[in-house]
Amino acid sequence: MGQRKRELLLNSKIIEVIQMIRRKMRSIAIFVNVLLLLFVLGTSCSAQDIELKVDEYINAYLKMGTFSGSILIARKGIILLSKGYGMANYENDVPNISETKFRLGSITKQFTATSIMQLEEKGLLNVNDPISKYLPDYPNGEKITIHHLLTHTSGIPNFTSFPEYRETMILPSPVEKIIERFKYKPLEFTPGEKFSYSNSGYILLGYIIEKISGKSYEDYLRENIFQPLNMMNTGYDHHRPLIKHRASGYVLGINGLVNADYIDMSVPYASGGLYSTVEDLYLWDKALYTEKLVSKSSLDKMFTPFKEDYGYGWFIIKQFNRKLITHGGIINGFYGYISRYVDDEVCIIVLSNIENSPVDKISIDLAAIVFGEKYEVPEVRRAIKVDPRIYDTYVGQYELAPDFILTITKEDNRLFVQATGQPKFEIYPESEIKFFLKAVDAQITFIRNDKGEVTQLILHQYGRDYLAKKII
């Protein structure tokens, strides 16, 4: 066979093999596309079913007037729902949307903790360093470590619990001034001994970030977290700038919604000063599965529970027998939650512009919807007329815990409840012994003994019952 014929035969064989490969590849491609189509269809049906259930659930709260905000639910990289409910501004009828910006409160802490871990990876600090290394004149600073600050085990008292806090929260306050408010207070316990949630510790962490990086806390987060993740709708909340799609904050009072009390946003600082959207927080959630911001070993530190299930800026707990990494945040007019079921790659974000909305319960129930667990659609309760003379038998103090009292009072033939350190709310009868609050998703049942005397009450809240004995 001549060389030319051998080349032609070889080329024809090659062409035949190539054509066979192409036919197989087309078959594989068709098969893969069918699988993808089935997957997408299955996901769409699931997403549609979830959205219908979420709408039914949230609409019940809307009718009760106890929720307003935005919600995002994602599973394995696919957003199943992202939408707003209620109003971003009730005075001007501006609806909440998925791009609405909400104050985050203590959700801010996880960004502060991540910044600390970044600085540790750069060799600029160690979480086991005493804070005296960075604040030389801080009392007991040689006993308190950065780790203690991160885990709320420092013993430093929480400045937002001080009696004067409501007066000082309206004052513009550089970080040094905030630190002065708690710096010379005695420690509540030996550092590392126990857990006690303290915003003061995260104020100090923000100060350490600024001192080491040479940047403001706001600039550091923008350059090292928000910009790398394209979180363009997240930042430090300031009162004066015009911020598009920023929600107004409300509190549900006795007679409905009222504007939340003013707070100067310099005060929450690194413990609670940020704003964001549900979709930006989902970018954050996705990044935490990667090493884009910090290494796996740093992430492992952050997500390892220390005392009271708290890691670095996160609670690490079990919910529905699933690992849940989560944190909430309450600040004047706002309440938010981010819940990460990490083994299932499920993320649920709820941001509300009603400070006393039951966001924690909503977050759990939305997870129940996703996982097919039991949940209850909130009941729209209606008050009935009862003889107000019966209210006299309910008046008194009921002890839920040694330092937590429910006080029941009667005013103008109306009944009110006030918990220790909280506002007074009217309670409405749905029977002669059962009452409900409009401002909070809670109910109260009064209990009589064999003589007909009221001796106890049961507080029903968030699916749990709390018994309180009448002491006065």
Side-chain angles (χ1 to χ4, degrees):
M1 185 182 295
Q3 180 67 26
R4 179 59 178 164
K5 287 184 179 181
R6 281 198 299 271
E7 289 177 357
L8 288 173
L9 180 60
L10 182 60
N11 287 342
S12 68
K13 291 287 186 183
I14 293 172
I15 292 169
E16 184 179 336
V17 169
I18 291 172
Q19 287 175 339
M20 180 181 69
I21 291 172
R22 283 176 176 171
R23 284 196 298 271
K24 288 186 176 181
M25 289 298 291
R26 278 198 297 269
S27 299
I28 292 170
I30 291 168
F31 178 68
V32 169
N33 287 334
V34 168
L35 284 179
L36 287 173
L37 180 61
L38 289 172
F39 175 75
V40 171
L41 288 173
T43 303
S44 298
C45 292
S46 177
Q48 185 179 25
D49 185 47
I50 287 172
E51 183 169 359
L52 288 172
K53 289 180 178 179
V54 171
D55 283 346
E56 177 194 28
Y57 177 84
I58 294 297
N59 284 335
Y61 278 114
L62 293 178
K63 288 177 183 176
M64 295 162 62
T66 54
F67 180 75
S68 174
S70 298
I71 292 171
L72 183 142
I73 301 174
R75 182 173 57 197
K76 295 189 181 298
I78 297 173
I79 295 177
L80 306 181
L81 178 144
S82 178
K83 64 192 296 187
Y85 298 86
M87 296 289 168
N89 186 289
Y90 278 88
E91 291 160 302
N92 295 304
D93 293 327
V94 179
N96 278 316
I97 55 177
S98 57
E99 294 85 9
T100 299
K101 299 180 177 74
F102 300 84
R103 287 178 179 172
L104 296 183
S106 287
I107 294 175
T108 298
K109 290 179 172 65
Q110 56 205 246
F111 296 97
T112 301
T114 301
S115 301
I116 290 290
M117 301 314 294
Q118 288 180 332
L119 294 172
E120 182 177 62
E121 289 189 357
K122 293 174 182 176
L124 299 176
L125 61 77
N126 187 294
V127 294
N128 296 313
D129 288 340
I131 64 172
S132 57
K133 185 173 180 179
Y134 310 100
L135 297 90
D137 65 338
Y138 197 92
N140 297 299
E142 72 285 354
K143 301 176 184 177
I144 303 166
T145 66
I146 292 174
H147 170 81
H148 292 143
L149 300 181
L150 288 164
T151 56
H152 299 292
T153 57
S154 67
I156 298 172
N158 179 22
F159 81 101
T160 60
S161 298
F162 295 169
E164 66 272 18
Y165 174 68
R166 298 199 69 79
E167 297 174 10
T168 58
M169 73 178 181
I170 65 174
L171 305 175
S173 304
V175 60
E176 292 83 2
K177 189 170 185 178
I178 301 171
I179 293 172
E180 287 292 319
R181 290 174 186 157
F182 58 80
K183 182 176 181 179
Y184 298 105
K185 301 276 187 181
L187 294 179
E188 295 179 338
F189 51 84
T190 302
E193 183 179 76
K194 59 183 180 179
F195 173 94
S196 182
Y197 195 88
S198 177
N199 288 300
S200 305
Y202 274 75
I203 297 295
L204 293 176
L205 289 170
Y207 182 74
I208 290 170
I209 290 168
E210 290 193 344
K211 194 163 185 181
I212 290 177
S213 70
K215 300 178 183 294
S216 69
Y217 175 77
E218 177 179 3
D219 287 345
Y220 182 89
L221 262 62
R222 183 176 61 250
E223 294 172 16
N224 293 278
I225 297 179
F226 304 148
Q227 287 179 349
L229 298 184
N230 200 32
M231 295 174 66
M232 306 309 294
N233 293 309
T234 302
Y236 196 101
D237 197 18
H238 295 283
H239 175 67
R240 290 181 65 85
L242 300 180
I243 301 177
K244 191 174 182 181
H245 298 311
R246 175 163 56 179
S248 299
Y250 302 94
V251 175
L252 192 57
I254 294 173
N255 298 310
L257 288 178
V258 295
N259 288 305
D261 291 340
Y262 175 77
I263 180 172
D264 190 279
M265 288 304 292
S266 62
V267 173
Y269 184 54
S271 71
L274 300 181
Y275 70 83
S276 190
T277 68
V278 292
E279 296 193 345
D280 261 23
L281 287 181
Y282 180 50
L283 295 175
W284 166 242
D285 164 72
K286 290 194 294 184
L288 294 175
Y289 288 102
T290 73
E291 297 184 74
K292 188 164 187 178
L293 296 176
V294 291
S295 68
K296 185 180 182 302
S297 88
S298 291
L299 290 169
D300 288 343
K301 278 187 187 179
M302 290 172 61
F303 300 146
T304 298
F306 194 56
K307 294 187 182 296
E308 300 295 329
D309 298 320
Y310 203 88
Y312 289 179
W314 295 91
F315 285 97
I316 301 93
I317 59 175
K318 284 276 189 179
Q319 186 72 49
F320 304 121
N321 203 32
R322 291 173 159 88
K323 184 177 181 180
L324 171 60
I325 299 176
T326 186
H327 210 292
I330 300 178
I331 192 168
N332 303 40
F334 297 87
Y335 189 6
Y337 245 92
I338 176 169
S339 301
R340 307 179 63 242
Y341 294 85
V342 289
D343 294 336
D344 303 272
E345 292 185 49
V346 166
C347 180
I348 296 172
I349 301 165
V350 182
L351 301 178
S352 176
N353 55 328
I354 299 178
E355 181 181 335
N356 48 349
S357 180
V359 167
D360 47 355
K361 182 178 188 298
I362 289 171
S363 298
I364 293 170
D365 286 348
L366 294 183
I369 290 173
V370 173
F371 295 127
E373 301 285 349
K374 290 183 179 179
Y375 70 97
E376 293 183 0
V377 176
E379 182 181 350
V380 179
R381 301 177 183 275
R382 304 191 185 282
I384 64 169
K385 287 185 179 181
V386 298
D387 186 345
R389 287 178 296 182
I390 202 172
Y391 294 170
D392 294 325
T393 65
Y394 301 143
V395 171
Q397 292 188 342
Y398 299 78
E399 186 180 58
L400 273 174
D403 58 349
F404 196 75
I405 305 297
L406 294 180
T407 301
I408 305 294
T409 56
K410 178 184 175 184
E411 301 173 23
D412 298 325
N413 289 329
R414 297 156 66 193
L415 207 60
F416 295 83
V417 62
Q418 184 171 22
T420 301
Q422 297 183 18
K424 182 189 297 182
F425 295 109
E426 185 171 2
I427 56 177
Y428 302 85
E430 50 186 351
S431 76
E432 286 193 348
I433 63 168
K434 293 184 178 180
F435 293 75
F436 67 93
L437 287 78
K438 292 182 179 179
V440 182
D441 184 18
Q443 302 82 45
I444 290 173
T445 300
F446 292 97
I447 299 175
R448 298 180 183 275
N449 62 16
D450 294 339
K451 298 178 183 179
E453 302 166 330
V454 177
T455 57
Q456 302 176 94
L457 66 73
I458 300 174
L459 173 65
H460 312 276
Q461 192 168 20
Y462 306 148
R464 298 179 182 176
D465 294 338
Y466 304 91
L467 187 65
K469 182 179 179 182
K470 189 174 184 181
I471 56 175
I472 298 178

